């Protein structure tokens, strides 16, 4: 049981991010004092949306500079906090040149850095870590190794490496390290959220966040000739943010939490938009796997990735998060429609609605 004093500041790392911005907003709307970290304070454009949100909210916001790769850089932002929500970590699935440098080291060193600061900060009682569903399962084809093809909090990714699926590898290594560090002390407890593929409206006009980039590509016609088959475990960004806050504030919250709501593929996402706005160049059929495998390297993904991931459906079990955090989820249609509307209204995709 860990009771958090609601008058103390809460640290959210990486406030400029797609997910972290929603965590910061929901905390500010509830009147909390939020400390957040960003990489470069002089780039105000990247966090102006947070300052605007603060003005409209009941809470207060303090911004600190910190980098995952700089030892002790989260210390100042953590002082006086009982709850730390560690979300910052690079999320990249294509265009990676040096996976160790771009993904694994920031995820792993960053987790060490934040958790060692938690060890050094007497006020800290709980750390909520953003891991991922990919720390539970690496490739979709791995599901055949699981009991009845269903995966849950007991599952760990055992197949990713620096050279194959480096992002899932970075998240697996970081989460394992977090559990190791947490087990070596007993002042603070660790609660982990493992989100599926996060979609839903962004609070900033940023387009370089992977979830946003993929939706821009889908609605702009990149997959017009066909979408890859195979389900994703989709969840709304607002629900994932809410899950982090519940994981921080519910005294009995415990362990890993698979945060995914809908098992859907890219064609299902496209269909939600095509039904409302037929002018959008979204795919209407699946691209054959052999063709996708052929063109994969030109799209920034490996042939092995396509072989192990396209065309596989899997079943996830999200019963634990519903019980432990009393979560319910936003509908798939609302997530997709709200995300699409934000992209149009922010000018990130053309407005072909009329
Ligand atoms: P995002 O928008 O790209 O946010 C990533 C955040 O990490 C940004 O604030 C970024 O800062 C920060 N960051 C990256 N490298 C850093 C470094 N060296 N030092 C300090 N900060 C650094 O991605 P997101 O989707 O919100 O992801 C947030 C978290 O959710 C990550 O832990 C990700 O693995 C996890 N997750 C995401 C999804 C998804 O589908 N989106 C699914 C499961 C889990 P800058 O703004 O300076 O780049």
């Amino acid at each position: 049981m860990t009771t958090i004093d609601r008058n103390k500041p809460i640290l959210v790392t990486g406030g400029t991010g797609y997910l972290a911005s929603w965590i910061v907003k929901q905390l500010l709307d509830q009147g909390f004092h939020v400390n957040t970290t960003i990489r470069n304070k002089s780039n105000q454009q990247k966090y102006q949306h947070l300052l605007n949100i603060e003005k409209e909210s009941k809470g207060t916001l303090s911004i600190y500079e910190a980098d995952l790769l700089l030892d002790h850089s989260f210390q100042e932002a953590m002082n006086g906090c009982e709850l730390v929500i560690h979300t910052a970590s690079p999320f990249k699935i294509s265009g990676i040149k040096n996976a160790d440098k771009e993904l694994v080291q920031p995820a792993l060193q960053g987790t060490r850095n934040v958790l060692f600061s938690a060890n050094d900060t007497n006020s800290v009682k709980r750390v909520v870590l953003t891991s991922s569903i990919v720390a539970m399962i690496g490739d979709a084809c791995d599901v055949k190794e699981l009991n009845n093809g269903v995966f849950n909090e007991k599952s760990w990714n055992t197949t990713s490496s620096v050279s194959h699926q480096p992002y899932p590898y970075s998240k697996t290594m970081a989460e394992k390290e977090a559990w190791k560090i947490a087990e070596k002390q007993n002042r603070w407890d660790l609660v982990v959220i493992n989100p599926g593929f996060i979609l839903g409206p962004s609070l900033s006009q940023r387009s370089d966040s992977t979830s946003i980039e993929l939706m821009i590509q889908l609605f702009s016609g990149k997959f017009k000739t066909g979408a890859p088959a195979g389900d994703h475990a989709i969840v709304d960004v607002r629900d994932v943010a809410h899950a982090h806050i519940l994981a921080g504030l519910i005294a009995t919250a415990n362990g890993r939490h698979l945060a995914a709501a809908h098992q859907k593929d890219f064609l299902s996402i496209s269909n939600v938009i095509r039904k409302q706005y037929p002018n959008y160049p979204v795919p209407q059929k699946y691209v054959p796997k052999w063709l996708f495998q052929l063109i994969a390297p030109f799209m920034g993904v490996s042939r092995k990735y396509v072989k192990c991931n396209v065309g596989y459906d899997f079943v996830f079990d999200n019963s634990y998060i519903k019980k432990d955090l009393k979560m319910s989820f936003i509908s798939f249609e609302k997530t997709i429609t709200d995300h699409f509307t934000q992209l149009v209204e922010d000018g990130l995709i053309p407005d072909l609605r009329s």
Side-chain angles (χ1 to χ4, degrees), residues 14-20 39 46 66-69 74 87-91 106 130-133 167 171 195-198 206 208-211:
T16 51
Y18 170 51
L19 168 61
R39 264 196 272 195
K46 256 194 158 175
D67 194 299
L68 294 169
L69 294 164
F74 291 86
T87 290
S89 196
F91 175 29
T130 314
S131 183
S132 173
I133 209 165
Y167 169 68
K171 296 303 286 181
F197 182 36
I198 305 176
R206 194 171 170 170
D208 62 342
S209 192
T210 294
S211 293

Side-chain angles (χ1 to χ4, degrees), residues 13 65 72 78-79 94 103 125 180 184 202 212 225 234 260 268 274 284 307:
T13 66
E65 220 169 57
H72 309 295
M78 205 180 285
N79 283 336
S94 64
L103 288 166
K125 291 185 175 173
K180 239 191 252 170
K184 284 192 183 135
S202 173
I212 298 162
T225 48
I234 290 171
S268 313
R274 209 187 40 254
Q284 302 196 34
K307 183 172 172 230

